[in-house]
């Protein structure tokens, strides 16, 4: 047994290496980020009330910055414990909670979800007669249900039940949630699907989703500023950011109430969301994880939807980017007057979370600028092997150059293959939105497939009659064919 005095001295030495001015638990000095990011100037330029940023590297939080105010009415400054409405960042949290509950033997995610419902049942549909959707198909938006997103409510409004939400008795939806295709055969982003998940959890376990998340996820992980409790309920936190319109004015009470909690009801801080991301990253390497098992982390982060799925989707997580040769977890949240992003690498424990309390025209430019700068400044570069790259034959190069439909993400934007300095590059509005610091060069591989720098899927073009007819997108064991139209 070590001498207690020795242990005390070591502890003091460790504490002396920690700072509270932006850099946390790291030998590297991260204070340069404050001057490089200029968040204060970005907020002023775009009239954004406030933004909160946390960066993590090598599985540790290394930098945080809170700039601006919680509310333009009070001018009270944001702090590290200020929680924001996270909107759709809730979805991967709900999916993760369900996988944890399955591992505990409380539910079976491979079973049809309808058998778990009591207050309401899935509507009859020709698409589900012989194919009732399972829980997992709701997590990756392949269940076939509609209802993309929902309106916000505030104190004084009549708050609908989730049964009314599914019945279409709410603003934006005047008919019951319905199926658009056979489960498992397509992709349709569906907030309604996550409301069904919420109902199934609550009907089966006789607890609110807020109680279940607190018991099985938030409290065990030590997420003290994260909750699914809503502003009209007891226990809602007091240190929160108000939502604002594009003119920087507080919307109504500033605190949106979300009955569709499983889809968009989490309130949290970038610090807590970073801790959650790091827990998943640790679980992926099966080291230092406390709540999320290695098996669960693999399940929720693997690509399980590729067809029409914006480049790839997991169980709640979007898998659309490959910045700096990494595979990334990503989730964006957007409600009226608030939103943000999580980006985390599948390896090496890097990433960041940013939340902001303004409308899209105010916050999105700030978030995008911060993302692009961070991907450059942090130098998160996974070394890529060049041994599989070969010279592109001139005949193929000529056939590829041109303007096409969006065969990468299926978002109806033009996609161009252009030549610069004898090399081919891919350009599109959507690819540009997901752009990091690298140019999206099109590389030809030895096996006849192609790879685009910072795009996660491998491509195999079908050439016939001197032109490109289709492309096969390949991700791990998944493949989907996309028809190509040259314009």
């Amino acid at each position: 047994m070590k001498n207690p005095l020795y242990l005390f001295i070591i502890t003091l030495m460790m504490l002396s290496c920690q700072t509270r001015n932006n850099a946390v638990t790291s030998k590297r000095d991260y204070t340069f980020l404050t001057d490089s990011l200029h968040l204060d100037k970005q907020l002023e330029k775009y009239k954004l009330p406030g933004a909160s940023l946390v960066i993590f590297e090598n599985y540790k939080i290394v930098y945080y910055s809170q700039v601006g105010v919680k509310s333009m009415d009070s001018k009270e400054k944001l702090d590290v414990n200020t929680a924001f409405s996270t909107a759709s960042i809730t979805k991967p949290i709900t999916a993760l909670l369900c996988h944890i509950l399955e591992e505990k033997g409380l539910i079976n995610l491979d079973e049809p979800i309808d058998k778990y419902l009591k207050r309401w049942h899935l509507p009859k549909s020709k698409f589900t007669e012989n194919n009732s959707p399972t829980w997992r198909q709701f997590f990756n938006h392949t269940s076939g249900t509609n209802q993309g997103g929902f309106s916000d409510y505030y104190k004084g409004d009549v708050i609908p039940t989730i049964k009314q939400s599914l019945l279409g008795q709410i603003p934006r939806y005047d008919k019951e949630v319905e199926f658009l295709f056979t489960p498992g055969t397509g992709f349709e982003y569906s907030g309604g699907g996550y409301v069904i998940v919420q109902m199934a959890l609550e009907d089966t376990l006789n607890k609110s989703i807020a109680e279940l998340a607190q018991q099985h996820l938030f409290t065990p992980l030590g997420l003290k500023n994260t909750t699914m409790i809503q502003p009209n309920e007891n226990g809602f936190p007091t240190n929160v950011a108000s939502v604002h319109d594009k003119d920087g004015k507080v919307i109504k009470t500033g605190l949106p109430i979300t009955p569709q909690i499983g889809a968009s009801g989490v309130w949290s801080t970038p610090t807590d969301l970073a801790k959650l991301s790091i827990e998943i990253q640790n679980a992926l390497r099966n080291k230092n994880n406390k709540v999320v098992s290695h098996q669960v982390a693999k399940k929720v982060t693997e690509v399980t939807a590729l067809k029409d799925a914006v480049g790839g989707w997991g169980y709640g997580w979007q898998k659309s980017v490959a910045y700096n040769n990494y595979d990334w977890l990503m989730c964006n949240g957007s409600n009226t007057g608030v939103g943000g992003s999580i980006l985390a690498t599948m390896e090496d424990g890097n990433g960041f979370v940013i939340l902001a309390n303004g409308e899209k025209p105010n916050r999105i430019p700030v978030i995008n600028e911060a993302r692009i700068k961070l991907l450059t400044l942090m130098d998160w570069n996974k070394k890529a092997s060049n041994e599989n790259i070969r010279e592109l034959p001139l005949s193929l190069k000529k056939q590829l150059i041109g303007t096409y439909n969006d065969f990468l993400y299926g978002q109806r934007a033009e996609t161009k293959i252009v030549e610069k300095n004898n090399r081919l590059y891919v350009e599109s509005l959507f690819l540009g939105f997901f752009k990091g610091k690298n140019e999206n060069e099109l590389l030809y591989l030895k096996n006849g497939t192609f790879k685009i720098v910072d795009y996660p899927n491998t491509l195999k073009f079908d050439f016939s009659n001197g032109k490109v007819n289709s492309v096969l997108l390949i991700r791990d064991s998944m493949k989907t064919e996309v028809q190509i139209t040259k314009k």
Side-chain angles (χ1 to χ4, degrees), residues 182-248:
T182 301
T185 64
F187 179 93
E188 178 73 21
Y189 190 87
S190 176
Y194 273 83
V195 179
I196 293 170
V197 168
Q198 176 186 343
M199 181 180 278
L201 281 178
E202 294 177 345
D203 285 358
T204 301
L205 301 177
N206 297 314
K207 289 184 178 181
S208 70
I209 190 172
E211 291 176 284
L212 292 168
Q214 196 67 49
Q215 178 184 350
H216 296 279
L217 188 56
F218 301 157
T219 295
L221 269 181
L223 307 185
K224 297 180 180 179
N225 299 301
T226 301
T227 186
M228 284 186 168
I229 294 172
Q230 297 304 297
N232 61 331
E233 298 174 321
N234 292 332
F236 183 73
T238 57
N239 185 357
V240 294
S242 297
V243 298
H244 297 81
D245 64 20
K246 61 182 178 60
D247 297 317

Side-chain angles (χ1 to χ4, degrees), residues 163-396:
K163 182 177 179 179
Q164 289 174 313
S165 181
L166 293 171
L167 288 171
Q169 299 171 355
I170 56 173
R172 294 180 64 173
Y173 303 110
D174 59 2
K175 61 180 180 179
E176 189 173 27
V177 64
E178 61 184 341
F179 288 89
L180 306 177
F181 52 80
T182 301
T185 64
F187 179 93
E188 178 73 21
Y189 190 87
S190 176
Y194 273 83
V195 179
I196 293 170
V197 168
Q198 176 186 343
M199 181 180 278
L201 281 178
E202 294 177 345
D203 285 358
T204 301
L205 301 177
N206 297 314
K207 289 184 178 181
S208 70
I209 190 172
E211 291 176 284
L212 292 168
Q214 196 67 49
Q215 178 184 350
H216 296 279
L217 188 56
F218 301 157
T219 295
L221 269 181
L223 307 185
K224 297 180 180 179
N225 299 301
T226 301
T227 186
M228 284 186 168
I229 294 172
Q230 297 304 297
N232 61 331
E233 298 174 321
N234 292 332
F236 183 73
T238 57
N239 185 357
V240 294
S242 297
V243 298
H244 297 81
D245 64 20
K246 61 182 178 60
D247 297 317
K249 295 180 180 178
V250 175
I251 301 172
K252 297 186 178 180
T253 65
L255 302 178
I257 298 167
T258 306
Q260 300 89 2
I261 299 171
S264 57
V266 166
W267 287 73
S268 188
T269 65
T271 300
D272 275 4
L273 294 177
K275 289 178 181 178
L276 177 66
S277 302
I278 293 168
E279 171 70 9
I280 294 172
Q281 291 173 322
N282 275 326
L284 286 169
R285 64 173 180 161
N286 207 18
K287 182 180 179 181
N288 297 332
N289 47 314
K290 301 174 182 177
V291 178
V292 181
S293 70
H294 179 61
Q295 291 74 21
V296 164
K298 287 176 64 179
K299 284 180 181 178
V300 298
T301 59
E302 67 179 344
V303 175
T304 54
L306 192 56
K307 182 183 178 183
D308 302 323
V310 202
W313 220 278
Y315 291 135
W317 293 102
Q318 192 173 347
K319 301 292 295 293
S320 303
V321 296
Y323 299 128
N324 303 348
N325 297 308
Y326 278 108
D327 188 9
W328 290 77
L329 298 172
M330 181 174 75
C331 188
N332 299 311
S334 179
N335 276 357
T336 304
V338 70
S341 299
I342 297 177
L343 275 162
T345 58
M346 291 279 285
E347 298 176 77
D348 297 341
N350 305 322
F352 62 91
V353 182
I354 184 168
L355 298 174
N357 58 343
E359 258 296 23
K360 289 180 181 179
N362 312 91
R363 74 173 184 267
I364 288 179
V366 176
I367 292 173
N368 283 346
E369 182 73 15
R371 170 178 53 83
I372 293 170
K373 282 188 176 180
L374 286 173
L375 290 170
T376 301
L377 294 169
M378 294 305 294
D379 196 30
W380 293 325
N381 292 307
K382 183 181 175 184
K383 191 173 181 180
S385 172
N386 294 322
E387 62 182 24
N388 291 323
I389 299 172
R390 64 172 178 170
E391 188 72 23
L392 179 63
L394 183 60
S395 60
L396 291 184

